[in-house]
Amino acid sequence: MAHFCENVRADDTAKLVKAPTGGPQAHAPAPALESFLNEYCLDCHSEDEPEADLDLSLLADHSLESNSEVWERVLGELTSRRMPPPDAYRPSAQDYQKTTNQLIETLAAVAAKHPKPGRTDTFRRLNRFEYQNAIRDLLSLDIDAEAMLPADESSHGFDNVTVADLPPTLVSRYINAARTISRLAIARPSDQLEGHTYRMPADVTQEQHVVGLPPGTRGGMLIHHTFPRSGIYEVQVNLARDRNEHVEGLNGKYQMEFLLDRERVADFELVPPKARSRYFFDDSRLKARIDVTAGPHDFGVTFVKNKSSLIETKRQPLNVHFNSHRHPRQTPAVFQVSITGPYADPDASAATQTAPDTPSRRRIFTCYPSTSAQNESCAQQILSRLARLAYRRAVDETDITPLMEFYRQGEAEAGFEAGIERALASLLVSPRFLFRIERDPEGLDAGDVYPISDNELASRLSFFLWSSLPDDELLRAAEQGTLRDRDVLRQQMLRMLRDRRAEALVTNFANQWLHLRNLESKTPDARLYPDFDDNLRQAMRRETELLFQSVVEEDRSVLDLLRADYTYLNERLAKHYGIPHVYGSRFRRVSLSDDDHRGGLLRHGSILTVTSYATRTSPVIRGNWVLENLLATPTPPPPPNVPSLEEEVIGANLPIRERLAKHRSNAACASCHVIIDPIGFSLENYDAVGRWRDSEFGVPVDAEGALPSGDSFHGVAGLEAAVLERPERFATAMTEKLITYALGRGVTESDGPTIREVVRRAGQDQYRFSALIWEIINSPAFQMRTFR
């Protein structure tokens, strides 16, 4: 990639750093920058580099104040040590530091005089994850938003950025979802049957205990299911079969159990037919009707674990058993579970049926009329409270009137609860609920900066930390006008980080920042990596989630994400890593030694797998991942018509460093690959599924690497040390991601002063997680907005 200093010439430099008319207040570049450019950038100019990213000569006679975005780019190059190029005459660390410090101070002064907090979209729709959490917190109801709504488009690494529109096809999905949710929440008696089918992923091994099911069981499925009404439900289980429709692993007698909230409600004996030539097993008899009360329940289908003997073999047996072709099952496994109901109970009469006591009904019916004369006032009380929470602000008559109209229609048809159900469905499709709205004040000119309202600040805070609605306490602080008080705001932030809802920072933010969601699409080649299945995939993901969660909950330094000397393992993942003495399906915290080769993010199987191909590692993907997510140094997209890496020509049995040499020798590729590849090479001791290796194809692994600055190191430990040598870079990368996620927009050059101030202040507290969050929510970018 071309460097910013390549087009700097002596006469341009003199013009560039000359203070414009108006004196030093006009913020000309500091004299140290003039000296730096003259001394280190003259020799790196090349007339043969027309594609250079930036020609600084175009800024002649212009002040830094009017070109702050350009100088932010220059500062980025200086910070990453890519300016001047590594092969040019290089300044000392002191010169770098002095120059960047002066440029930072000057840009900070410009930002203080002319703040640019940026502009979020006026209308931002709740994405699928936020919608699911909002329903949970509004109605105490768990739903599967993935089954109800289409996936959101990702931009700038997150799916809460491009959510400003509401296409007609999505409107119909929201209407159907609102009807379903309101019916589930109210749980009114009805003779309508509902069915749900839960299917096990194809590559799940079911030979060991499943977390949440009783000890002594193995395999099966644990389902968190909300039963819409009290009554009799029919549960049907189908077993996994091979391509000939034979039940896999049915080689003896097995006991299957149905469990409702860990209590056995039905059991079955599975016996293979005696005549194998007429092999047939009718799993339609694996069916039971159970009496269930309305509301959320844990339903489990599992097998009683039979005694087993140790298989004697010269090599460790595979841990995966999920199909008859390559990984034969040793025991029967569940394929899918269907739940249908409720069926009428012949022994129950209408007189004996009572309203179900569910979390959602307790949340909704804070009052209940004893006479029909009280219906109207009670409905208004219920809907006013729900609307205030759903709309994230105080409500008035214009908000409640349309809801009451829907209530009256439903009440006239089928009574009080039917009216509440219809009004609730209307509330859930209201733009006031589906959209986060930030309105511009009147009387402003383009470019004016103004603080957002307290209610808007409360919404930004709750959707940042919880991916959900503000709760009553946070709304109350906003309505009282005290939320902007620093002590109140900090107290609310700390309270929210301690709340269980802050787990959204793990399941939503960290999963997207670290690309953990991409694990679902990763299926390593079974011939090369036969010991990989969904059990391992989910264990890898959970390890990384638990490490991030420990940093959040224990309020540790975010640097511990890289330097942690502990991790979280269950037996399956520990076997994969070769770490002994870890048994069972439960994850537990494990202290590590250097010989384990595990610890921080760069050593996690999840990261190493998601940055590999199905057949081999990819130093390019790994290097680019590190640059973008840990060093805040994204690389430009590849030029068009770049040839792919043709392994059949180069040699698939060569070490990857030799295979990639062809790309680095191509002039169209070299400018990027010389920056990306060395970082990826340092992780070559880990294969495509994150296992440690010392050699590849009989040749010792060459794990020599280098940063874009040219500083070299060896292996993952060297890469970690090189990143942590300048911890502000990692903190900057994480801050950029957090701000993008918090504001729902991409970071621009004008956000540079805010990001640096956040990092500087958090650094005074050892980059503790809460310090980073506090400085973000206390920044102008979070609390202010630019008019048009």
Side-chain angles (χ1 to χ4, degrees):
M1 185 180 75
H3 297 271
F4 287 166
C5 60
E6 288 178 342
N7 286 334
V8 178
R9 293 180 290 273
D11 55 340
D12 297 326
T13 305
K15 296 177 181 178
L16 188 63
V17 298
K18 180 181 178 182
T21 304
Q25 289 77 15
H27 301 295
L33 182 56
E34 176 183 3
S35 174
F36 185 94
L37 294 174
N38 278 315
E39 183 172 357
Y40 297 110
C41 290
L42 293 181
D43 292 337
C44 37
H45 168 64
S46 171
E47 299 294 346
D48 299 326
E49 293 286 349
E51 75 279 5
D53 296 273
L54 176 67
D55 188 345
L56 294 181
S57 65
L58 299 177
L59 297 183
D61 295 325
H62 289 274
S63 70
L64 184 147
E65 182 172 308
S66 59
N67 295 279
S68 58
E69 288 81 4
V70 174
W71 285 103
E72 285 288 346
R73 297 175 64 190
V74 172
L75 180 59
E77 291 294 287
L78 291 173
T79 302
S80 65
R81 302 297 194 260
R82 292 192 295 178
M83 174 180 181
D87 56 353
Y89 176 50
R90 304 280 288 175
S92 66
Q94 292 79 5
D95 285 343
Y96 264 125
Q97 195 64 44
K98 182 178 180 181
T99 303
T100 55
N101 285 346
Q102 291 192 356
L103 188 51
I104 286 171
E105 291 175 5
T106 308
L107 288 169
V110 171
K113 183 178 179 181
H114 302 289
K116 296 180 180 180
R119 181 174 177 82
T120 56
D121 290 330
T122 300
F123 292 89
R124 294 185 57 237
R125 175 175 47 82
L126 304 189
N127 66 18
R128 191 165 61 177
F129 187 82
E130 293 168 341
Y131 183 87
Q132 178 171 297
N133 287 352
I135 296 298
R136 177 201 65 196
D137 296 337
L138 179 67
L139 302 175
S140 296
L141 182 68
D142 292 324
I143 64 167
D144 182 7
E146 289 188 9
M148 295 179 173
L149 302 171
D152 299 291
E153 181 183 351
S154 181
S155 178
H156 298 282
F158 297 97
D159 61 8
N160 65 342
V161 177
T162 55
V163 286
D165 61 340
L166 187 62
T169 54
L170 190 54
V171 172
S172 63
R173 298 287 291 270
Y174 274 121
I175 292 173
N176 291 335
R179 290 171 177 167
T180 301
I181 291 167
S182 59
R183 186 169 63 249
L184 278 173
I186 300 298
R188 282 194 306 125
S190 171
D191 57 2
Q192 180 181 0
L193 294 179
E194 296 186 14
H196 298 272
T197 297
Y198 298 90
R199 183 166 294 178
M200 186 72 76
D203 58 345
V204 172
T205 299
Q206 299 184 44
E207 305 297 334
Q208 301 299 326
H209 175 258
V210 175
V211 175
L213 292 174
T217 63
R218 64 97 194 152
M221 183 184 299
L222 180 63
I223 303 165
H224 186 71
H225 183 75
T226 299
F227 291 83
R229 294 173 297 280
S230 299
I232 304 297
Y233 287 82
E234 184 175 88
V235 180
Q236 169 73 61
V237 173
N238 296 105
L239 301 178
R241 295 173 178 267
D242 61 19
R243 65 187 63 179
N244 298 316
E245 287 300 306
H246 295 167
V247 173
E248 298 177 2
L250 189 59
N251 48 28
K253 292 183 179 181
Y254 295 91
Q255 196 77 15
M256 173 184 280
E257 295 183 339
F258 290 1
L259 306 168
L260 183 67
D261 297 328
R262 295 177 68 89
E263 295 292 332
R264 186 171 58 191
V265 292
D267 60 359
F268 307 87
E269 187 177 57
L270 279 60
V271 181
K274 293 182 180 180
R276 290 285 180 174
S277 60
R278 297 191 302 273
Y279 185 93
F280 177 75
F281 182 85
D282 182 14
D283 56 7
S284 65
R285 68 181 182 84
L286 302 179
K287 179 191 301 182
R289 290 199 172 191
I290 58 176
D291 191 359
V292 187
T293 58
H297 294 276
D298 288 327
F299 186 83
V301 178
T302 188
F303 303 89
V304 176
K305 185 173 178 61
N306 293 346
K307 294 181 180 180
S308 59
S309 58
L310 180 66
I311 301 176
E312 293 188 6
T313 176
K314 293 182 178 180
R315 301 179 63 184
Q316 177 177 322
L318 294 178
N319 296 290
V320 302
H321 305 281
F322 58 79
N323 64 48
S324 62
H325 177 58
R326 190 174 296 276
H327 306 289
R329 295 189 189 275
Q330 298 176 336
T331 54
V334 172
F335 170 64
Q336 70 178 24
V337 178
S338 300
I339 301 175
T340 308
Y343 292 90
D345 185 353
D347 299 326
S349 63
T352 61
Q353 291 182 354
T354 58
D357 181 23
T358 65
S360 58
R361 285 181 63 89
R362 291 194 296 270
R363 179 75 166 169
I364 293 169
F365 293 110
T366 51
C367 68
Y368 205 92
S370 55
T371 65
S372 59
Q374 298 174 344
N375 286 5
E376 186 89 2
S377 61
C378 182
Q380 183 152 355
Q381 178 182 329
I382 289 172
L383 296 175
S384 296
R385 186 183 60 82
L386 291 176
R388 172 177 172 268
L389 294 172
Y391 299 165
R392 285 87 73 183
R393 57 173 174 78
V395 294
D396 54 27
E397 188 173 347
T398 59
D399 298 307
I400 304 303
T401 297
L403 297 177
M404 289 300 295
E405 291 177 359
F406 281 99
Y407 160 76
R408 294 185 188 104
Q409 293 172 12
E411 195 267 348
E413 293 178 6
F416 175 73
E417 292 192 3
I420 295 297
E421 181 180 318
R422 182 168 296 190
L424 180 58
S426 172
L427 181 147
L428 296 180
V429 295
S430 169
R432 300 176 182 88
F433 170 68
L434 293 178
F435 284 87
R436 295 167 55 189
I437 304 172
E438 294 183 350
R439 303 181 185 277
D440 291 315
E442 296 181 357
L444 297 181
D445 296 326
D448 285 351
V449 173
Y450 65 91
I452 60 176
S453 71
D454 281 28
N455 284 322
E456 292 165 351
L457 178 59
S459 283
R460 281 195 180 188
L461 185 59
S462 67
F463 280 99
F464 177 27
L465 302 183
W466 290 347
S467 294
S468 185
L469 312 170
D471 64 359
D472 186 69
E473 182 175 340
L474 185 60
L475 273 181
R476 192 162 53 247
E479 292 166 353
Q480 293 172 353
T482 61
L483 186 57
R484 287 189 183 279
D485 181 273
R486 286 176 60 89
D487 293 337
V488 174
L489 184 60
R490 184 172 180 80
Q491 183 272 329
Q492 289 293 330
M493 178 204 73
L494 294 174
R495 176 185 71 87
M496 295 173 73
L497 285 176
R498 291 191 294 266
D499 193 282
R500 63 173 180 82
R501 286 167 283 190
E503 189 176 346
L505 288 167
V506 178
T507 55
N508 199 20
F509 167 73
N511 266 266
Q512 294 185 82
W513 169 39
L514 302 175
H515 298 188
L516 299 185
R517 289 186 178 181
N518 296 350
L519 266 175
E520 300 299 328
S521 63
K522 288 293 179 178
T523 305
D525 190 310
R527 294 167 299 178
L528 300 175
Y529 308 102
D531 209 26
F532 191 94
D533 60 0
D534 191 66
N535 308 60
L536 181 58
R537 181 188 292 115
Q538 299 306 325
M540 287 177 171
R541 177 172 179 165
R542 192 60 184 152
E543 175 193 23
T544 306
E545 289 177 341
L546 287 172
L547 174 64
F548 191 90
Q549 185 172 318
S550 72
V551 170
V552 176
E553 292 183 349
E554 299 169 23
D555 198 16
R556 303 170 70 96
S557 169
V558 297
L559 302 181
D560 287 353
L561 292 171
L562 296 179
R563 65 189 182 193
D565 59 357
Y566 65 93
T567 193
Y568 293 85
L569 303 173
N570 65 356
E571 181 177 355
R572 180 72 180 86
L573 188 57
K575 280 185 176 181
H576 183 70
Y577 288 164
I579 297 177
H581 313 308
V582 178
Y583 303 102
S585 57
R586 180 182 63 86
F587 275 84
R588 77 293 312 265
R589 186 164 173 161
V590 177
S591 297
L592 302 167
S593 67
D594 291 342
D595 293 338
D596 293 322
H597 306 298
R598 301 294 161 182
L601 293 175
L602 291 170
R603 302 165 184 254
H604 280 210
S606 59
I607 305 300
L608 296 162
T609 301
V610 86
T611 54
S612 296
Y613 291 120
T615 57
R616 62 170 176 84
T617 61
S618 174
V620 178
I621 298 177
R622 287 179 176 179
N624 189 67
W625 186 93
V626 171
L627 286 169
E628 180 178 343
N629 294 287
L630 305 186
L631 296 177
T633 312
T635 56
N641 303 320
V642 174
S644 61
L645 188 62
E646 299 176 358
E647 295 188 356
E648 67 277 8
V649 176
I650 301 173
N653 59 344
L654 292 176
I656 192 64
R657 187 183 291 264
E658 296 182 33
R659 283 183 262 172
L660 284 175
K662 182 176 181 180
H663 270 178
R664 293 195 304 278
S665 64
N666 186 323
C669 306
S671 59
C672 287
H673 279 271
V674 295
I675 296 172
I676 299 172
D677 294 0
I679 294 177
F681 289 144
S682 68
L683 299 174
E684 274 298 291
N685 280 118
Y686 297 99
D687 69 8
V689 291
R691 296 175 303 189
W692 181 265
R693 61 184 181 181
D694 292 308
S695 62
E696 182 184 19
F697 305 118
V699 179
V701 170
D702 183 356
E704 290 297 322
L707 291 178
S709 61
D711 298 331
S712 60
F713 51 83
H714 180 81
V716 63
L719 175 57
E720 290 169 341
V723 174
L724 292 172
E725 185 177 356
R726 297 173 58 203
E728 73 281 355
R729 293 189 63 190
F730 174 71
T732 296
M734 189 170 180
T735 300
E736 287 186 1
K737 298 296 183 179
L738 282 167
I739 287 180
T740 300
Y741 174 78
L743 299 180
R745 63 168 177 81
V747 169
T748 65
E749 283 80 6
S750 61
D751 293 308
T754 292
I755 293 170
R756 288 191 295 275
E757 185 65 9
V758 167
V759 171
R760 185 187 70 82
R761 290 178 175 273
Q764 296 172 354
D765 195 13
Q766 306 301 313
Y767 301 108
R768 297 172 74 89
F769 185 80
S770 65
L772 212 59
I773 298 296
W774 166 245
E775 297 303 336
I776 289 173
I777 68 174
N778 199 41
S779 69
F782 194 85
Q783 297 194 17
M784 304 181 77
R785 192 164 179 252
T786 302
F787 182 69
R788 294 198 219 287

